[in-house]
Amino acid sequence: MAIDILMPALSPTMEQGKLAKWLKKEGDKVKPGDVLAEIETDKATMEVEAIDEGVLARILVGDGTDNVAVNTPIGVLAVEGEDASKAVASAPAAPAAPGQTAPTPDSQSEGMSETSSALGRGGDTSPDALPAAPSIISSRSAHDAMAEIPEGTEMVTMTVREALRDAMAEEMRKDPNVFVMGEEVAEYQGAYKVTQGLLQEFGERRVIDTPITEHGFAGVGVGAAFTGLRPIVEFMTFNFAMQAIDQLINSAAKTLYMSGGQLGAPIVFRGPNGAASRVGAQHSQDFSAWYSAVPGLKVVSPYSAADAKGLLKSAIRDPNPVIFLENEILYGQSFPVPKLDDFTVPIGKARIHREGKDVTLVSFSIGVSYALKAAQELEKEGISAEIIDLRTIRPMDTDTIVASVMKTGRCVTVEEGYPQSGVGAEISARIMEHAFDYLDAPVIRITGKDVPMPYAANLEKLALPSVAEIVQAAKAVCYR
Amino acid sequence: MAVAARKANKSTPNKTPARKATPNSPQFDKGQDLSAYREMLLIRRFEEKSGQMYGMGLIGGFCHLYIGQEAVVVGMQLATREGDQVITGYRDHGHMLACGMEARGVMAELTGRRGGLSKGKGGSMHMFSKEKHFYGGHGIVGAQVSLGTGIAFANHYRQNGNVCLTYFGDGAANQGQVYESFNMAQLWKLPVVYVIENNRYAMGTSVNRASAQTDFSKRGVSFNIPGEQVDGMDIRAVYAAGQRAVEHARSGKGPYILEMQTYRYRGHSMSDPAKYRTKDEVTRMREEHDPIEQVRRRLLESWKLSEDELKAIDSKVREIVNEAAEFATHDPEPDPSELYTDILLEAH
């Protein structure tokens, strides 16, 4: 029986990719381990290896085809004894059975989670729906969304990954004291390709591969910052920063105070934070609330590419230690970014992502995408939701939250972190302190569940906040 | 387990290898001996006064005295040049004085007053001086080793020719980040000298009970970092080794490890009755190896100074210390508004 060769997913965030070229042609004999084709994403090039023995009967997707969705049959393999010319795909839309096509990661790096794609994650509205490509921009008020951007500015579409890279490159061009260090940031071009091209432009003096030694290189970064250099320290993920958290808190955050203002640490710690997809409990944790508890730190967690770029530039220039929490799922998503010579976004200012009058949804990072989808659902039911993207967790823009709640009288917070002592808990407390009399209903927190992240796809989905939960909560606070 | 450990300690007294005889110690000239004497004495008298003020309730919290170890930091400072940096752990008063930070500022920090080097907000373990290239003063055991390596990284990045002296104790030498730092320092050939002050006890745990390898000069072997053991009670030996180490680091050959075999006379902190060692052991060290007494003898015997001349130095030192104590006692506490300052710098 013929076997479909499917477009593989190379990372949790990959939804589609380019079929760069076939290395076998129709009629070629194939044995397990043979490289059949090369595929590309904005992040990486990978080889598709054969698992089964047979003859490449048909090529369904030709060389150089862009935007091939994951799991699309790209070819048909005829097994032994079968007439290759008659082999047909059995089920064009069959999901990829594990191991049918095996991407060969070029590294065993911990951070690269070459598992199934992010399809069906918490962001969808029903269990079976596929997430639409983010069409967030069109659905929000241009005025509020682009408050920092002069009218008439040309916008270019780019991924969050590219925006972060551009922010670093621009700041490195401006200031010779800025350098990047971390695991795989140089030769490998970044475990998630965020530092792509930096080594080529700035050389090994300023783009530094470290050994796998988080505690040590975090301390090295802080020491260098004490002398006035401006390190950008990349953690392959913030899960690994747990090894280094003493240097972040005790050395980076506290020294300015302990020195009576003499010695600060102008340093950025950045990397993906929170859950990726199917990487289990130790690799799926949101640290926003943890770092936001610490005086002496600034904590930033952007959603869009424009904010990622503008905020990272501000973070690099900031004289204080900044914890810059990115999101792996968002890396590959595209947004319009203003084409300006020096576009920055101020730290500590939330953004009204969408105006509304009935309920305020407060979120940050990937949570904003859930809130946006929920707002669309709510719209259909006649509920007008206002969405606040915090962008900065510390210092928190309480004013913007309070002003919105005074208008709507209702609030739902959305985050992927744990419920206890979470960012939502903090927001609730601030609303009670500053807008209690304006509340028409208790604040509801939508959070990740109070469990370590499970691996199983269905359980993981349950552990994360969902659009349905947000919709339900928003209706509840509106007494609907 | 704890009982067994204690028993073992009793039955096998702390067998630190015999200190190296130092017949070949390089000689100091009269001027060197005089300034060494003065500086070490300042630390000794300052620390004695700190102990006294702690007893009077003027100093709070943790207070770790450097008495007995003076030759290490004073000797190492002689081997440095302007621009070289110093970073250490929590037993830091001696390092600050040796770096030239004012005694009154240090003492006022100990008493938590506004004239303290950190405006009273740091305390004994947390003082800094950019001007004197002193980077603290760190309370987390071993953290300063990565930080010092980072300062050396910055020297290398800037190619400024400076060397960072990174001090830590025999206790910190067992922390993981020390080895992470050793690896990077040698990998990148960073200009750092790791000065391990082996005073034989990590708080109450003797070196033999905590370290599988008690020769700390060998702790860099697996990274190909050269190291040597030094008689840390003889300032001439410290200085000579310091020169070798600093020269090695400055010339681009990478890190160097010096194990300073030294001894603290007082407890780990003020609240430590030091029951883990015998009185005899302490007495023997004081009588036979005291770093200041060694210099004092040379001043009297080799350089023919009179007791009166030494007394004049003593009283000058006492004057500085008394003035510092006086200031630290009467300087006001920080203004309450200081509670909320120095948390973040203004972004421009």
Side-chain angles (χ1 to χ4, degrees), chain B residues 167-186:
Chain B
Y167 291 83
F168 53 104
D170 48 282
N174 292 326
Q175 286 279 29
Q177 64 179 314
V178 169
Y179 300 92
E180 300 188 23
S181 300
F182 283 0
N183 183 42
M184 285 182 280
Q186 178 72 328

Side-chain angles (χ1 to χ4, degrees), chain B residues 49-71:
Chain B
K49 181 61 90 178
S50 302
Q52 196 187 357
M53 289 177 60
Y54 192 93
M56 293 159 67
L58 286 160
I59 297 172
F62 296 125
C63 186
H64 310 89
L65 302 182
Y66 197 63
I67 296 174
Q69 302 180 213
E70 297 92 342

Side-chain angles (χ1 to χ4, degrees), chain A residues 176 178-179 205-206 208-209 213 215-217 219-220 223-224 227 229 247 256-262 296 319-320, chain B residues 117-119 121-122 126 128 130 140 143 146-147 150 153-154 157-158 177 180 184 188 339 341-346:
Chain A
V178 178
F179 67 93
R205 176 173 167 267
R206 298 180 69 196
I208 301 141
D209 277 329
T213 189
H215 196 181
F217 72 70
V220 166
T227 75
L229 293 184
Q247 291 291 1
L256 184 69
Y257 196 80
M258 296 192 304
S259 68
Q262 278 189 74
N320 302 291
Chain B
L117 284 166
S118 296
K119 299 194 220 163
K121 291 152 87 166
H126 310 297
F128 309 81
K130 258 189 180 168
I140 304 299
S146 316
L147 295 168
F153 174 92
Y157 186 91
R158 295 187 167 104
Q177 64 179 314
E180 300 188 23
M184 285 182 280
W188 299 331
L339 181 64
T341 60
D342 305 321
I343 297 164
L344 292 172
L345 288 167
E346 201 69 37

Side-chain angles (χ1 to χ4, degrees), chain A residues 324-342:
Chain A
F324 198 92
L325 304 170
E326 298 157 9
N327 184 287
E328 190 192 328
I329 310 274
L330 294 176
Y331 278 153
Q333 297 192 9
S334 294
F335 298 81
V337 176
K339 195 177 175 185
L340 293 169
D341 285 344
D342 191 16

Side-chain angles (χ1 to χ4, degrees), chain A residues 35-214:
Chain A
V35 179
L36 299 175
E38 282 178 9
I39 60 174
E40 283 174 16
T41 64
D42 62 328
K43 180 171 126 182
T45 300
M46 295 278 179
E47 293 170 341
V48 182
E49 270 183 18
I51 298 289
D52 302 289
E53 191 158 350
V55 173
L56 181 57
R58 283 173 59 199
I59 287 175
L60 302 173
V61 176
D63 286 1
T65 309
D66 282 315
N67 306 327
V68 182
V70 167
N71 287 347
T72 307
I74 55 175
V76 179
L77 193 74
V79 295
E80 210 178 1
E82 198 176 3
D83 182 352
S85 64
K86 288 184 182 149
V88 273
S90 56
Q100 186 115 23
T101 53
T104 36
D106 52 3
S107 148
Q108 291 298 311
S109 76
E110 302 166 272
M112 295 277 280
S113 39
E114 304 297 353
T115 60
S116 65
S117 82
L119 302 187
R121 279 210 36 177
D124 55 351
T125 52
S126 69
D128 300 314
L130 298 179
S135 57
I136 296 108
I137 307 307
S138 57
S139 68
R140 66 184 185 201
S141 153
H143 172 74
D144 285 311
M146 296 297 170
E148 286 115 12
I149 303 161
E151 227 167 290
T153 301
E154 185 190 340
M155 303 297 280
V156 287
T157 298
M158 65 170 73
T159 61
V160 170
R161 174 180 289 122
E162 292 163 338
L164 291 167
R165 191 263 325 276
D166 286 359
M168 287 188 278
E170 287 177 21
E171 293 306 300
M172 289 176 79
R173 281 175 210 132
K174 271 171 78 102
D175 182 353
N177 285 329
V178 178
F179 67 93
V180 186
M181 73 191 307
E183 293 156 10
E184 309 289 4
V185 299
E187 302 233 342
Y188 192 81
Q189 306 285 303
Y192 294 101
K193 296 292 176 280
V194 175
T195 52
Q196 195 143 34
L198 295 184
L199 174 67
Q200 286 65 29
E201 179 172 354
F202 300 101
E204 59 186 16
R205 176 173 167 267
R206 298 180 69 196
V207 185
I208 301 141
D209 277 329
T210 64
I212 300 171
T213 189
E214 282 85 8

Side-chain angles (χ1 to χ4, degrees), chain A residues 332-414:
Chain A
Q333 297 192 9
S334 294
F335 298 81
V337 176
K339 195 177 175 185
L340 293 169
D341 285 344
D342 191 16
F343 170 66
T344 59
V345 171
I347 293 175
K349 290 265 182 283
R351 172 159 83 183
I352 296 179
H353 225 302
R354 179 189 201 275
E355 282 187 45
K357 57 182 175 49
D358 298 328
V359 57
T360 302
L361 307 180
V362 187
S363 192
F364 55 94
S365 188
I366 195 166
V368 175
S369 67
Y370 306 158
L372 284 160
K373 289 186 184 109
Q376 286 167 1
E377 292 294 309
L378 290 165
E379 189 90 63
K380 290 179 202 156
E381 309 202 26
I383 295 173
S384 158
E386 177 147 302
I387 295 175
I388 295 176
D389 177 358
L390 279 181
R391 305 196 290 191
T392 301
I393 315 297
R394 181 187 187 93
M396 193 180 279
D397 185 355
T398 312
D399 290 351
T400 299
I401 299 168
V402 166
S404 176
V405 170
M406 284 178 171
K407 182 172 75 173
T408 63
R410 302 151 204 278
C411 183
V412 174
T413 66
V414 183

Side-chain angles (χ1 to χ4, degrees), chain A residues 401-402 405-406 430-439:
Chain A
I401 299 168
V402 166
V405 170
M406 284 178 171
R430 290 186 188 215
I431 292 172
M432 281 221 291
E433 286 162 2
H434 299 285
F436 184 71
D437 290 341
Y438 293 83
L439 280 176

